[in-house]
Amino acid sequence: MESRVELFAAIRRDARVEELSIRELAKRHGVHRRTVRQALASAMPPARKTPTRSSPRLDPFKDAIDDMLRADLDAPRKQRHTATRILARLIDEHAATGLSYSTVRDYVRVRRAQIDLEGGRRVEEAAFVPQIHEPGEEAEVDFGEVWVVINGVKTKCQMFIYRLSYSGKAIHRVYPTCAQEAFLEGHIDAFETLGGIPTRHIRYDNLTSAVLAVLHGGDRRRKENDRWVLFKSHYGFDSFYCQPGIAGAHEKGGVEGEVGWFRRNHLTPMPEVESLEELNEKIRAWEAADDSRRITGKLNTIGTDYQAEQNMLSPLPVDRFDPGLVLHPRVDRSAMITVRMMKYSVPAHLIGRTVRVSLRASHLIVFEGHTTVATHPRVASRGGHVVNLDHYLEVLKHKPGALPGSTALAAARAAGTFTAAHDAFWAASRKVNGDAEGTRELIDVLLLHRSLPAEAVAAGITAALTVGAVTAEVVAVEARRHAATLDSAAAGEGGASSDRHPAAQGDVGEHRVVSLTQRRLTDPAAVIAGLPADTRPLPSVAAYDELLPRRAAAATSTADLTKASTS
């Protein structure tokens, strides 16, 4: 199909070459004489006029629709009129039965934008003024949502991002939440990793971890959280808060873009890790590799600009700020405390008491007075729990039957702290000592983990099983010997411990343990652990029997003398 530009060109060519009249040109090209005159006047066809479409059915109701839209200027965001609601009101209040939804929708879409602009709610065109950032002066902070597969479970986490405005050097840390403890801990990690603090300010949006309320009045005043004010005072920096909502996103556009770039390039597909600590270690390696990246519009790489900026940062204070949030939960009858809807175990002797908790971004610490009694990783999923078998050992010593089906034992098996060696010792001990006493022996072995390394206790269990002496005393002796051997090797002494039996000095791996208790509980005819046969004769009391007549005779003589003296 011939375009209007080609049509105008053909008309102008025929008029120039053949010198045809306007009537003849119009007849040849099948157009109106007005079109011929336009072609002869200009090679560019005039723009087509868009016809103004009238809405005779809608016209009587336009004022009513405008009133509804103007009322929305002061209404809450989630309670403003939709096109559906406007049509319903027109039908109910104005008997507008002849209107269609599409007619109302198209008018509302255009008119709402115009009324918002008139009311000052919407800016017609946003104008941006390019800014420069001096080295060491500014940084930007934000949180971004990320999904991580932790131990096979898809979990929503929060990524803290701190970005230097001049070089673009950024620190990323993934935490279970974006609560204030994660906010503060992310700052501390960033300050210490980068080796300094910006001299001018750090830009933020209105995070609840820092801002309690936005104070209106034409400026950027905020009501800040007291702990956040204390943190800023400790590290000596100022905060700059962006405009609320989407209008202020461009004021920290560097970190906004960093969130998406890092998530697309390093966290896609979703990383699969055992813990957030493992993920954050990987992130540190990615950050180091990103130093060779060049940001669009810059001449140097991130690493080069950061080297120039690092010396411009303010030094860190001598003391490190404690980012933990202090809480005081009460220990329930299951020796558990509830912190932010998650449950954590504590030693059973604290049941019914109130403890002090320091809640950190990735873990929490439980104190009894000034003594640390428990440290747990922070649970990422709501309603989760962390149970430590060690916290229940004293209770299980009195209730051994509760151990097999306990949540603490299942958690210890899942974590790998209750090993196959423990299970083997437990089975052997129950076979010899019975269920209750055998379980108590196992609990005594588990108590050894409080004072000895896990490797030493495992070696003690292996030695006891090898010789068939499944008692906690034997495990303790061999575990201490193994620990002493490890200490000697670590100190460079080598060899076996000096308190070990000389027969075993030649081969540290050979265990010559003899349990007299075990011998007494088993068949006397069996040869236990290489114990030599007892060839000694049975003991005799014949020599003592010879003394009995002499004692009887002496007693008779004494009685006769007493009788004679009294008579």
Side-chain angles (χ1 to χ4, degrees):
M1 183 177 179
E2 186 181 28
S3 67
R4 286 176 59 81
V5 174
E6 294 173 343
L7 174 63
F8 274 41
I11 293 174
R12 292 169 66 87
R13 183 179 61 250
D14 291 347
R16 182 179 65 253
V17 175
E18 302 183 21
E19 298 182 355
L20 298 177
S21 65
I22 293 177
R23 183 185 297 274
E24 292 172 337
L25 290 172
K27 185 177 181 180
R28 173 178 290 188
H29 293 283
V31 296
H32 197 277
R33 285 173 290 177
R34 181 177 57 251
T35 305
V36 175
R37 292 189 182 97
Q38 291 176 347
L40 296 177
S42 173
M44 175 62 68
R48 293 183 180 273
K49 294 181 180 180
T50 302
T52 302
R53 299 185 62 182
S54 61
S55 302
R57 292 188 178 182
L58 183 65
D59 288 341
F61 308 105
K62 287 184 177 179
D63 291 340
I65 295 175
D66 291 351
D67 291 339
M68 297 179 195
L69 295 177
R70 289 191 181 96
D72 284 347
L73 292 175
D74 299 322
R77 182 177 63 86
K78 294 186 177 181
Q79 291 178 258
R80 297 172 189 166
H81 287 85
T82 62
T84 302
R85 179 56 183 157
I86 290 175
L87 177 59
R89 287 191 60 185
L90 291 176
I91 294 173
D92 294 340
E93 300 174 12
H94 301 276
T97 56
L99 291 178
S100 66
Y101 169 76
S102 60
T103 301
V104 176
R105 178 199 61 200
D106 294 341
Y107 178 78
V108 168
R109 181 175 62 249
V110 176
R111 191 65 181 130
R112 188 194 298 276
Q114 295 172 350
I115 291 178
D116 286 350
L117 183 61
E118 295 170 0
R121 171 171 287 175
R122 184 178 303 186
V123 179
E124 186 171 7
E125 287 190 12
F128 300 98
V129 179
Q131 300 288 305
I132 62 171
H133 305 285
E134 297 297 332
E137 284 193 352
E138 298 182 47
E140 302 168 3
V141 167
D142 202 2
F143 272 102
E145 181 181 295
V146 295
W147 288 87
V148 182
V149 180
I150 304 175
N151 286 326
V153 179
K154 180 181 175 182
T155 307
K156 184 173 74 172
C157 301
Q158 299 292 332
M159 180 171 62
F160 172 89
I161 305 97
Y162 175 98
R163 182 182 184 272
L164 293 174
S165 300
Y166 171 75
S167 63
K169 175 70 174 176
I171 300 300
H172 316 74
R173 296 293 180 266
V174 178
Y175 298 113
T177 70
C178 59
Q180 189 183 60
E181 52 272 13
F183 185 60
L184 300 183
E185 190 169 318
H187 277 82
I188 296 173
D189 201 347
F191 291 160
E192 295 177 351
T193 302
L194 298 177
I197 304 167
T199 58
R200 185 181 177 189
H201 59 230
I202 302 177
R203 294 176 179 264
Y204 304 92
D205 53 20
N206 299 278
L207 296 167
T208 55
S209 299
V211 176
L212 295 178
V214 177
L215 303 179
H216 297 283
D219 54 13
R220 297 177 184 268
R221 293 181 301 142
R222 303 290 189 269
K223 175 62 177 176
E224 295 181 312
N225 185 290
D226 287 342
R227 186 164 177 78
W228 171 238
V229 174
L230 178 63
F231 180 84
K232 292 197 304 177
S233 176
H234 180 85
Y235 282 98
F237 67 92
D238 294 326
S239 55
F240 177 92
Y241 295 106
C242 301
Q243 298 179 26
I246 194 65
H250 68 279
E251 295 184 338
K252 55 181 183 63
V255 73
E256 294 280 355
E258 180 68 26
V259 173
W261 187 93
F262 195 86
R263 190 163 45 199
R264 289 189 301 270
N265 288 272
H266 294 303
L267 300 177
T268 302
M270 290 184 296
E272 299 183 12
V273 293
E274 298 296 326
S275 64
L276 290 182
E277 288 75 14
E278 179 185 345
L279 175 59
N280 285 323
E281 284 300 320
K282 292 183 177 181
I283 288 177
R284 290 183 176 92
W286 295 335
E287 290 170 348
D290 286 343
D291 284 348
S292 60
R293 180 167 66 96
R294 180 178 287 102
I295 299 175
T296 303
K298 291 197 173 185
L299 297 177
N300 300 322
T301 62
I302 292 176
T304 302
D305 283 344
Y306 169 63
Q307 290 178 357
E309 184 175 26
Q310 187 175 15
N311 296 330
M312 303 293 183
L313 299 172
S314 297
L316 296 171
V318 177
D319 298 328
R320 193 175 192 267
F321 190 87
D322 182 6
L325 176 65
V326 178
L327 302 171
H328 296 86
R330 185 178 180 84
V331 183
D332 63 18
R333 295 182 62 183
S334 300
M336 304 280 282
I337 57 174
T338 302
V339 179
R340 295 284 175 86
M341 301 182 69
M342 314 334 174
K343 288 186 173 292
Y344 304 86
S345 68
V346 297
H349 71 272
L350 297 173
I351 291 176
R353 298 172 57 182
T354 299
V355 295
R356 178 167 58 91
V357 173
S358 178
L359 180 63
R360 311 291 178 87
S362 56
H363 65 283
L364 60 86
I365 306 173
V366 184
F367 296 92
E368 180 187 7
H370 296 286
T371 304
T372 301
V373 294
T375 301
H376 293 294
R378 185 164 177 171
V379 179
S381 57
R382 177 170 295 186
H385 61 273
V386 179
V387 184
N388 190 339
L389 178 59
D390 182 74
H391 295 159
Y392 298 89
L393 294 181
E394 285 80 5
V395 175
L396 292 171
K397 192 73 180 290
H398 298 285
K399 297 180 177 181
L403 178 60
S406 64
T407 304
L409 177 61
R413 282 198 172 108
T417 55
F418 193 90
T419 64
H422 293 90
D423 266 323
F425 180 89
W426 191 12
S429 181
R430 283 187 294 180
K431 183 177 180 180
V432 173
N433 303 313
D435 286 341
E437 290 303 321
T439 302
R440 290 190 176 96
E441 291 290 339
L442 170 69
I443 294 171
D444 287 336
V445 170
L446 295 175
L447 287 169
L448 294 175
H449 285 281
R450 296 181 178 179
S451 56
L452 294 171
E455 181 182 353
V457 176
I461 293 174
T462 302
L465 292 174
T466 301
V467 301
V470 283
T471 61
E473 292 85 353
V474 174
V475 175
V477 170
E478 285 303 304
R480 292 190 181 97
R481 286 179 176 176
H482 188 83
T485 302
L486 293 177
D487 293 341
S488 300
E493 299 175 3
S497 177
S498 58
D499 64 343
R500 193 169 178 84
H501 193 278
Q505 293 282 354
D507 186 2
V508 177
E510 183 181 357
H511 298 277
R512 303 285 296 172
V513 181
V514 175
S515 172
L516 298 180
T517 303
Q518 196 71 17
R519 177 186 177 96
R520 185 171 61 252
L521 294 175
T522 54
D523 184 5
V527 179
I528 304 298
L531 187 69
D534 190 356
T535 58
R536 295 177 298 176
L538 293 175
S540 174
V541 294
Y544 296 97
D545 291 340
E546 293 177 359
L547 297 176
L548 293 178
R550 298 177 185 179
R551 183 176 181 182
T556 302
S557 301
T558 302
D560 292 342
L561 291 175
T562 302
K563 184 177 180 181
S565 61
T566 55
S567 60

